[in-house]
Amino acid sequence: MAAAPLASLLLLLLLAAASPLSAAGEAHPGYSSGEGTCTVAGDAAASPLEERGPGRIIDITHAYVPDLPAFAPGAVTGPVVRLKHSMADGSEYNLSELKMECHTGTHLDAPGHINQGHFAAGRDVDTLDLDVLNGPALLVDVPRNTNITAEAMEFLKIPKGVRRVLFRTLNTDRKLMWKKEGDFSYVGFTEDGAQWLVDNTDIKLVGVDYLSVAAYDHLISAHVVFFKKPDIIPVEGLKLDDVPAGIYNLHCLPLRLVGAEGSPVRCILIK
Amino acid sequence: MAAAPLASLLLLLLLAAASPLSAAGEAHPGYSSGEGTCTVAGDAAASPLEERGPGRIIDITHAYVPDLPAFAPGAVTGPVVRLKHSMADGSEYNLSELKMECHTGTHLDAPGHINQGHFAAGRDVDTLDLDVLNGPALLVDVPRNTNITAEAMEFLKIPKGVRRVLFRTLNTDRKLMWKKEGDFSYVGFTEDGAQWLVDNTDIKLVGVDYLSVAAYDHLISAHVVFFKKPDIIPVEGLKLDDVPAGIYNLHCLPLRLVGAEGSPVRCILIK
């Protein structure tokens, strides 16, 4: 399992300088060999107990606030936390309770979300592969005039061997995750974009910047393509504002919710 | 902020060979220079897009199952997930809902948990420092015949500069997190153990293997000591079974629950 991606990655490093990527440039400047190396060099050079120093971790998770949009036209999330025991009311401790749909805010989908076969087979969030959820990732800029179509995917020229890609789109520019009400004019994967990704890349973690990996007109069909095999993890509602495109170490850690087909997730990038 | 710990860590590496640690040995074998270096060397040597390969991530989080113990004598957690929309019932998708107390299973405390001043000042889980929650950590074995007292802390001889320590205790041997009902004979920090840690170490992340960082007889008092200043993060209910003591890269990512004084958390170690 490890041999093929590693071989691809070696190839990738050789390809990076010569490929049209260098010319396209804007989509993922991290690929230019100098900048890409610098981006994570500090992390790689650390000795066992050496501290990273502050400011090298970038939080790409939205905070759970009542004004988060919900995935229904005009819907809002509302409070997800309430204080169950309160020191102000005489308790010896404060104790909060959490209640939310598992696809609220920054979250991920398990294969059972839109595939009943996978759901029945127990492919819940607790079965998701930590080796996919943690590792090198590429943050790319999708052209702002399009959904993530086959054509857009082809344009991005993401090399074979890259397993985690965060797709920044017009949704980030429009600050849709900061709008109180759900907005279904967001962009996302079309069915043919999803199929192109499955057929032509090694991507297993697909990060997007609104609540669904799929454009609204392809809501079920694009999910169906991603979940044909249970090996792709969509991570949705990421906060990608003000993060330079490039290469990072990604850590995306969902809760171990046995039986659930989705989970809130905390995602960070480390330079 | 970075200079002091870094200086201490350089000292630490020099001290490791000569200190009584090498003699004590069992508590944290990772400190022997050879083994410690090996433990995370593979990670440190990675090139920007190189994959780690499978099997190097250790999940130290308990799964959320109904049989998790709850923090009340004889209490159990019960289901935390329910299916709100079901494909088996004709929905186009499955959709789960999550409901739990924020101190269920593997979780962490924010300073407002037992300190009303910090709670009122908004010191919620969303203010916790990602630079503390992510970085090198030491897994140590606490002698099995004691709470984590001042004497036990002194015995462990954790060097200055170490900021994250996971304390494995008799709780792991007794498999208390696997017992259906809450068991208040668990071990944890006594008030004097907490005070010793605050006075004599640089530890800011305190990991333990049952539901509270504090022994039951010191439940409030030990928490009060840890939360005098809002800079220590207790991470509780960790799954430390079958993990060799030593040095790892720790990633502990709670949810961004604005207003909450605790959060479920996913924690992993990377070799």
Side-chain angles (χ1 to χ4, degrees):
Chain A
M1 190 174 160
L6 283 176
S8 305
L9 286 165
L10 289 174
L11 259 176
L12 160 63
L13 293 174
L14 294 171
L15 284 170
S19 87
L21 282 174
S22 310
E26 292 311 289
H28 32 54
Y31 266 120
S32 66
S33 56
E35 195 169 339
T37 305
C38 284
T39 310
V40 294
D43 199 44
S47 76
L49 274 166
E50 192 173 318
E51 293 293 327
R52 282 192 194 90
R56 306 197 52 243
I57 298 177
I58 302 167
D59 200 345
I60 56 170
T61 317
H62 281 278
Y64 286 101
V65 291
D67 280 359
L68 269 180
F71 200 72
V76 295
T77 295
V80 301
V81 166
R82 76 175 185 98
L83 200 56
K84 194 171 168 180
H85 298 285
S86 165
M87 293 177 80
D89 293 340
S91 171
E92 283 191 299
Y93 49 85
N94 292 307
L95 186 77
S96 314
E97 189 178 61
L98 165 66
K99 185 179 175 186
M100 64 165 79
E101 287 182 1
C102 291
H103 296 258
T104 304
T106 306
H107 71 279
L108 52 69
D109 296 351
H113 179 42
I114 313 240
N115 182 310
Q116 184 60 15
H118 295 324
F119 187 80
R123 296 261 180 201
D124 60 19
V125 288
D126 196 34
T127 66
L128 297 177
D129 188 349
L130 285 170
D131 284 314
V132 172
L133 292 166
N134 297 271
L138 188 60
L139 169 58
V140 302
D141 275 297
V142 177
R144 294 308 200 247
N145 59 348
T146 177
N147 275 310
I148 312 177
T149 58
E151 191 181 11
M153 282 300 298
E154 199 163 2
F155 171 82
L156 289 172
K157 293 188 173 58
I158 295 161
K160 296 288 277 185
V162 174
R163 297 180 74 204
R164 302 167 200 84
V165 178
L166 313 182
F167 294 89
R168 179 165 48 199
T169 73
L170 185 63
N171 302 331
T172 295
D173 302 354
R174 293 180 66 203
K175 295 202 165 291
L176 291 192
M177 285 295 293
W178 305 93
K179 281 182 70 174
K180 192 171 174 174
E181 276 136 34
D183 185 327
F184 288 75
S185 66
Y186 70 92
V187 298
F189 275 85
T190 57
E191 183 180 350
D192 76 328
Q195 192 64 55
W196 201 95
L197 182 148
V198 168
D199 292 341
N200 299 287
T201 78
D202 294 314
I203 299 169
K204 299 302 174 198
L205 184 145
V206 181
V208 295
D209 52 4
Y210 198 59
L211 291 167
S212 173
V213 70
Y216 194 62
D217 288 345
H218 300 252
L219 192 56
I220 301 300
S221 63
H223 275 97
V224 165
V225 170
F226 280 131
F227 288 132
K228 206 166 286 174
K229 287 202 292 181
D231 62 348
I232 287 180
I233 307 176
V235 182
E236 296 153 321
L238 288 168
K239 183 165 76 69
L240 302 177
D241 315 63
D242 306 320
V243 188
I247 303 168
Y248 299 87
N249 279 322
L250 172 71
H251 296 283
C252 254
L253 295 181
L255 302 182
R256 293 193 63 186
L257 300 175
V258 174
E261 44 56 61
S263 173
V265 65
R266 184 74 174 268
C267 293
I268 61 170
L269 299 176
I270 300 182
K271 276 191 184 172
Chain B
M1 191 173 159
L6 283 176
S8 306
L9 285 165
L10 289 174
L11 259 176
L12 160 64
L13 293 174
L14 294 172
L15 282 169
S19 85
L21 282 173
S22 310
E26 293 311 288
H28 32 54
Y31 266 120
S32 66
S33 56
E35 195 170 337
T37 305
C38 286
T39 310
V40 294
D43 200 44
S47 76
L49 275 167
E50 192 173 316
E51 293 292 328
R52 282 193 194 88
R56 305 197 52 243
I57 298 177
I58 302 167
D59 200 344
I60 56 170
T61 317
H62 281 278
Y64 286 100
V65 291
D67 279 359
L68 269 179
F71 199 71
V76 295
T77 295
V80 301
V81 166
R82 74 176 185 99
L83 200 56
K84 194 171 168 180
H85 299 285
S86 165
M87 293 177 80
D89 293 341
S91 170
E92 281 191 300
Y93 49 85
N94 292 307
L95 186 77
S96 314
E97 190 178 61
L98 165 66
K99 184 180 176 185
M100 64 166 80
E101 287 183 0
C102 291
H103 297 257
T104 304
T106 306
H107 71 279
L108 50 69
D109 296 352
H113 179 41
I114 312 239
N115 182 310
Q116 184 60 16
H118 295 324
F119 187 80
R123 296 263 181 197
D124 60 18
V125 287
D126 195 34
T127 67
L128 298 177
D129 188 350
L130 285 170
D131 283 315
V132 173
L133 292 167
N134 297 271
L138 188 59
L139 169 58
V140 301
D141 275 297
V142 177
R144 296 306 202 247
N145 59 348
T146 178
N147 275 310
I148 311 177
T149 59
E151 192 181 10
M153 281 300 298
E154 200 165 0
F155 171 83
L156 289 172
K157 293 188 172 58
I158 295 162
K160 296 287 277 186
V162 173
R163 298 180 72 204
R164 303 166 200 84
V165 179
L166 313 182
F167 295 88
R168 179 166 47 199
T169 73
L170 185 63
N171 302 331
T172 294
D173 301 354
R174 293 181 65 204
K175 296 202 165 291
L176 291 191
M177 285 294 293
W178 304 93
K179 282 182 69 174
K180 192 171 175 175
E181 276 136 34
D183 185 326
F184 288 76
S185 66
Y186 70 91
V187 298
F189 275 84
T190 57
E191 182 180 351
D192 77 328
Q195 192 63 55
W196 199 96
L197 181 147
V198 169
D199 292 342
N200 299 285
T201 78
D202 294 314
I203 300 168
K204 299 301 174 198
L205 185 145
V206 181
V208 295
D209 53 2
Y210 199 57
L211 292 167
S212 173
V213 70
Y216 195 61
D217 288 345
H218 300 253
L219 191 56
I220 302 300
S221 63
H223 275 97
V224 165
V225 170
F226 280 131
F227 289 132
K228 206 166 287 174
K229 287 202 292 180
D231 62 349
I232 287 179
I233 307 176
V235 182
E236 296 153 321
L238 288 168
K239 183 165 76 69
L240 302 177
D241 315 62
D242 306 320
V243 188
I247 303 168
Y248 298 87
N249 279 322
L250 172 71
H251 295 284
C252 253
L253 296 180
L255 302 182
R256 294 193 62 185
L257 300 175
V258 174
E261 44 56 62
S263 174
V265 66
R266 184 73 174 268
C267 294
I268 61 170
L269 299 176
I270 300 182
K271 276 192 183 174

